[in-house]
């Protein structure tokens, strides 16, 4: 396999590179990453020793660069992890989401379309394209009803992947995973934000009444699912949901983190909710399970291991939380925290 993984310096990409490099089938592994605020080259330092591995700093929306790279490296498999991924940032400014998530995906599709020997395009998508799921679990056939500009950009990209499979016969497949947690996640997302704030004795800004539910999956289980999907015969733009089937309200996640770190509940501050905040995500992953994939990590055990990772990797997240992150945090949470309360908001 001559594999191109985009977004390898981000959270899931970094974990997936490690997963793939542990496999003998991988003859070449190239990762492209623009190193935006969310990309961290330090994540890849230890991979450079592997002669199969190459890092390229480039924009997936750069047509010439992507076509040249795919040609030069004779890429036969592409896993598209690169994206703008934070819902709150997409509410503040949606344009980078359109450029990277939609245009970038199109550029990659074009770069591999019609390539002799090209085997698989895997689009790493999200359950957020379904919007809030009031009850039950969304199967792959549920309609897309994205609530945020982030989710809308991912749904648009999924549509192009399916169009390329149908119109041009590009061998493509889409995974839609639920919320991931684990090592190397940028501390703007709930779990690493709360773990690192709690480690520093800082307030944990919990949106709304704290009862929004997310369907958590450990990133290792997601990476195993991506690898598994690459080996399936599906090539017609099929969608596979990826979920461990465990929804947990944000307030319960917060309580668990505080307990694991032995920090007081008084650190929790209820803050003004995110506009358009999806109440609940819940996926039905039985289509993927029937093909032989199973998640391995339970939420409590996986969260304890994740908390331990952040405790042991303080220099990693302290470096990430310095500089521009401070301005971001003040913009996002400054006023909210000044206007926060110790009790849930109704
Ligand atoms: N994190 C989750 O819970 C989750 C759940 C389901 C799906 N996903 C999807 O998985 C993928 C990876 O998510 P993540 O959490 O690792 O995101 P992340 O924000 O941690 O990493 C994204 C990476 O993409 C890179 N990037 C951004 N724009 C780029 C561009 N124009 N060109 C090249 N590189 C660029 C960034 O530098 C970063 O390294 C995304 O497509 C996301 O939609 C994430």
């Amino acid at each position: 396999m001559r594999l191109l993984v985009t977004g390898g310096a981000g959270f899931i990409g970094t974990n997936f590179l490690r997963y793939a490099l542990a496999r003998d089938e991988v003859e070449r592994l190239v990762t492209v990453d623009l190193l935006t605020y969310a990309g961290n080259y330090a994540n890849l330092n230890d991979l450079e020793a592997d002669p199969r591995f190459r890092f390229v700093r480039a924009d997936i929306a750069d047509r010439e660069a992507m076509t040249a790279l795919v040609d030069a490296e004779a890429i036969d498999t592409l896993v598209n992890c690169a994206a703008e991924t934070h819902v709150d940032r997409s509410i503040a400014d949606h344009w980078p989401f359109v450029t990277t998530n939609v245009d970038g995906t199109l550029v990659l599709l074009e770069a591999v379309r019609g390539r002799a020997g090209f085997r698989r395009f895997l689009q790493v998508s999200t359950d957020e394209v379904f919007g809030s799921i009031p009850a039950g679990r969304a199967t792959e056939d549920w309609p897309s009803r994205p609530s945020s500009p982030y989710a809308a950009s991912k749904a648009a990209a999924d549509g192009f992947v399916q169009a390329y499979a149908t119109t041009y016969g590009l061998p493509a497949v889409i995974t839609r995973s639920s919320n991931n947690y684990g090592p190397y996640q940028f501390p703007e997302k709930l779990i690493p934000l709360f773990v690192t704030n709690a480690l520093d004795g800082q307030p944990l800004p919990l949106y709304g009444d704290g009862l929004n539910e997310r369907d958590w999956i450990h990133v290792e289980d997601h990476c195993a699912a991506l690898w598994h999907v690459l080996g399936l015969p599906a090539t017609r733009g099929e969608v596979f949901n990826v979920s461990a089937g465990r929804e947990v309200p944000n307030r319960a996640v917060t309580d668990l983190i505080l307990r694991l770190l032995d920090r007081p509940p008084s650190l929790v501050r209820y803050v003004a909710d995110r506009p358009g905040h999806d109440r609940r995500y819940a996926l039905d992953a039985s289509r993927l399970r029937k093909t032989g994939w199973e998640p391995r990590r339970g939420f409590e055990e996986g969260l304890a291991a994740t908390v331990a990772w952040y405790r042991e990797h303080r220099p990693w997240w302290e470096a990430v939380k310095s500089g521009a992150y401070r301005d971001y945090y003040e913009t996002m949470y400054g006023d909210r925290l000044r206007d926060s309360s110790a009790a849930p908001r109704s």
Side-chain angles (χ1 to χ4, degrees):
M1 186 186 289
R2 298 188 66 86
L3 179 60
L4 174 61
V5 176
T6 67
F11 166 47
I12 293 168
T14 288
N15 282 282
F16 185 67
L17 292 180
R18 286 171 167 71
Y19 193 94
L21 282 171
R23 260 91 209 149
D24 291 339
E25 298 95 310
V26 175
E27 174 192 324
R28 182 72 165 151
L29 204 175
V30 181
T31 193
V32 169
D33 199 296
L34 188 57
L35 298 183
T36 67
Y37 78 91
N40 188 347
Y41 179 74
N43 297 352
L44 308 179
N45 271 335
D46 58 321
L47 305 183
E48 293 283 9
D50 191 319
R52 296 171 300 164
F53 179 71
R54 178 183 169 203
F55 169 77
V56 177
R57 184 174 190 182
D59 186 342
I60 60 162
D62 179 337
R63 277 192 212 191
E64 277 178 27
M66 290 307 107
T67 307
L69 184 66
V70 164
D71 285 347
E73 293 285 356
I75 295 300
D76 61 26
T77 306
L78 194 155
V79 177
N80 185 22
C81 286
E84 287 290 337
T85 61
H86 193 39
V87 172
D88 289 331
R89 290 185 193 252
S90 80
I91 295 168
D93 178 11
H94 57 267
W95 286 115
F97 290 74
V98 177
T99 309
T100 291
N101 301 1
V102 186
D103 293 355
T105 300
L106 261 169
V107 165
L108 295 171
L109 289 165
E110 271 300 297
V112 297
R113 175 160 79 93
R115 246 199 96 73
F118 186 76
R119 292 197 295 199
R120 194 63 46 89
F121 187 105
L122 170 50
Q123 175 71 0
V124 180
S125 188
T126 166
D127 62 353
E128 302 202 20
V129 300
F130 295 120
S132 201
I133 309 292
R137 298 181 162 277
T139 65
E140 290 81 356
D141 301 326
W142 278 49
S144 294
R145 287 207 188 91
S147 306
S148 69
Y150 161 66
S153 69
K154 294 295 288 184
D158 288 2
F160 278 110
V161 173
Q162 287 175 318
Y164 268 61
T166 305
T167 305
Y168 304 115
L170 180 80
V173 65
I174 297 167
T175 52
R176 288 187 180 147
S177 167
S178 60
N179 280 60
N180 284 222
Y181 66 97
Y184 298 105
Q185 189 168 27
F186 193 85
E188 64 187 352
K189 309 282 167 63
L190 183 102
I191 288 178
L193 173 66
F194 282 15
V195 171
T196 56
N197 277 15
L199 280 167
D200 275 350
Q202 294 296 316
L204 312 187
L206 191 53
Y207 280 151
D209 61 6
L211 293 179
N212 297 58
E213 288 181 25
R214 295 296 178 260
D215 178 354
W216 292 103
I217 185 167
H218 194 278
V219 67
E220 278 171 16
D221 282 329
H222 185 195
C223 291
L226 297 177
W227 185 260
H228 178 82
V229 166
L230 286 177
L232 293 178
T235 55
R236 298 262 157 248
E238 292 90 334
V239 176
F240 290 93
N241 286 346
V242 183
S243 150
R246 175 78 196 278
E247 308 94 71
V248 192
N250 289 344
R251 213 192 279 178
V253 176
T254 310
D255 289 346
L256 269 169
I257 291 171
L258 289 171
R259 236 178 295 144
L260 284 163
L261 289 171
D262 196 20
R263 294 292 194 276
S266 57
L267 282 184
V268 178
R269 303 300 305 175
Y270 288 88
V271 300
D273 209 351
R274 164 192 285 168
H277 199 179
D278 283 333
R279 190 65 169 168
R280 177 172 178 269
Y281 296 137
L283 284 183
D284 179 336
S286 46
R287 178 180 287 175
L288 186 60
R289 282 173 181 255
K290 278 185 200 141
T291 69
W293 170 83
E294 282 288 333
R296 288 162 187 245
R297 309 212 52 171
F299 183 66
E300 282 75 9
E301 173 274 320
L303 186 66
T306 301
V307 166
W309 189 88
Y310 285 93
R311 206 204 280 263
E312 287 155 18
H313 291 78
R314 179 175 274 275
W316 182 88
W317 57 263
E318 275 186 344
V320 172
K321 280 184 125 177
S322 63
Y325 179 91
R326 290 192 192 153
D327 300 334
Y328 156 80
Y329 194 82
E330 173 58 27
T331 308
M332 204 54 78
Y333 295 110
D335 285 345
R336 278 187 163 111
L337 279 168
R338 284 184 278 279
D339 183 34
S340 65
S341 58
R345 296 181 172 235
S346 51

